[in-house]
Amino acid sequence: MLYLEKYQSLISASTEAEALQQLSHVASQYGYDSLLLAAVPTPGQPLETAYLRSTYDTAWRETYDKRGFGAIDPTVSHCFSHSAPMVWSPDSFKTQDERALYEEASGYGLKAGITLPFHGPGGEVGMLTLVRDEVANQGFYESLRSSMSDLALLRDLAFEVLRPHIHAQTPAKQQPEPILPSLTSKEMEYLKWLTAGKTDWEISRIMGVSVAGARFHIANLRRKFDVSRRTDVVVRALQMGLVAL
């Protein structure tokens, strides 16, 4: 077990706060300035009840949630549909909305990083994202090549240590098995463009309707999925297998 020695303080952490502190400490040793760990403990659980801990600037987290950036954040959609890590930099943000998201995030010190998805034995879905306050350069990629396996192990150990706290976040009343909503072919098309991160205006142009008309159909999707945000429509649809990325 010698390969675990560098993680011993994390493994032996007796409290959630201590585990998060040790996780941040180990991440800093690999050159990362901040991190986020998030998990949906049980399949179909509402996204707003997810476990989320981060060392990001609080103002950024508030801005991110208020503006519903989760609906266009490529790291979020990646973790629900992939197991392989996603290394991201400015070039990873393709659409106009994604580039705007990146520009704002970089102002808070989130300029380059790696998102490591987690798919647990109990149906948990989560991610550990490690971020640097510097634009990706040759040194960043060389560091990743030499530390990728260590970071993957760090993710697994972090979820193992924090699993009791993650599941403590699960609502006391067990969520019922999600019922697939009945969607028309047109609603499925709107859902596809929502999943692709298109704005209301872009969807209206694609579907040949007014912006108000597009918003009407998107509101119907929120109602059918019983959620209040378009972000959650996309996440629920991915969880239910109704769309794929």
Side-chain angles (χ1 to χ4, degrees):
M1 301 294 281
L2 292 177
Y3 70 99
L4 291 179
E5 283 185 353
K6 69 177 74 175
Y7 310 109
Q8 189 56 50
S9 295
L10 169 62
I11 296 169
S12 60
S14 58
T15 66
E16 179 188 28
E18 183 183 355
L20 293 168
Q21 181 181 27
Q22 292 303 324
L23 175 60
S24 181
H25 174 68
V26 175
S28 69
Q29 292 182 321
Y30 287 101
Y32 294 96
D33 302 297
S34 56
L35 63 84
L36 177 145
L37 186 142
V40 177
T42 58
Q45 183 174 324
L47 189 62
E48 58 268 21
T49 64
Y51 176 93
L52 190 152
R53 302 290 186 269
S54 84
T55 59
Y56 293 174
D57 189 304
T58 302
W60 168 241
R61 284 299 317 162
E62 292 174 352
T63 298
Y64 185 99
D65 292 336
K66 182 178 180 179
R67 296 180 58 180
F69 279 144
I72 58 173
D73 187 344
T75 67
V76 173
S77 55
H78 179 87
C79 83
F80 279 100
S81 55
H82 296 79
S83 295
M86 175 184 176
V87 179
W88 54 267
S89 62
D91 293 341
S92 305
F93 297 79
K94 307 295 186 184
T95 69
Q96 182 177 350
D97 286 339
E98 289 177 359
R99 288 192 293 271
L101 162 62
Y102 176 79
E103 287 299 321
E104 286 211 46
S106 64
Y108 290 91
L110 311 177
K111 296 177 181 175
I114 177 171
T115 293
L116 301 113
F118 177 82
H119 297 269
E124 306 95 336
V125 178
M127 63 178 176
L128 173 63
T129 294
L130 306 171
V131 189
R132 291 188 180 185
D133 186 10
E134 61 179 25
V135 176
N137 52 30
Q138 184 177 354
F140 170 70
Y141 292 111
E142 288 178 353
S143 172
L144 273 174
R145 279 193 289 272
S146 64
S147 64
M148 185 68 77
S149 60
D150 287 349
L151 298 180
L153 178 57
L154 178 62
R155 171 206 56 198
D156 293 344
L157 291 174
F159 275 96
E160 182 68 25
V161 171
L162 290 165
R163 181 174 286 120
H165 306 288
I166 291 171
H167 281 281
Q169 186 97 0
T170 305
K173 183 178 180 180
Q174 185 65 35
Q175 295 291 328
E177 191 70 21
I179 300 174
L180 296 180
S182 176
L183 302 179
T184 66
S185 58
K186 180 173 289 188
E187 286 171 336
M188 284 298 299
E189 194 165 356
Y190 275 93
L191 179 58
K192 177 181 73 173
W193 295 121
L194 273 181
T195 305
K198 301 297 184 183
T199 65
D200 292 352
W201 183 87
E202 289 171 326
I203 294 174
S204 72
R205 298 282 76 80
I206 293 170
M207 298 298 292
V209 300
S210 67
V211 174
R215 288 173 178 165
F216 172 81
H217 288 288
I218 293 169
N220 276 340
L221 286 173
R222 293 202 306 269
R223 177 179 57 80
K224 288 193 173 185
F225 280 91
D226 192 26
V227 296
S228 59
R229 301 182 301 179
R230 57 191 289 152
T231 312
D232 296 336
V233 170
V234 174
V235 172
R236 290 282 183 88
L238 287 168
Q239 289 175 325
M240 293 175 177
L242 292 174
V243 291
L245 298 174

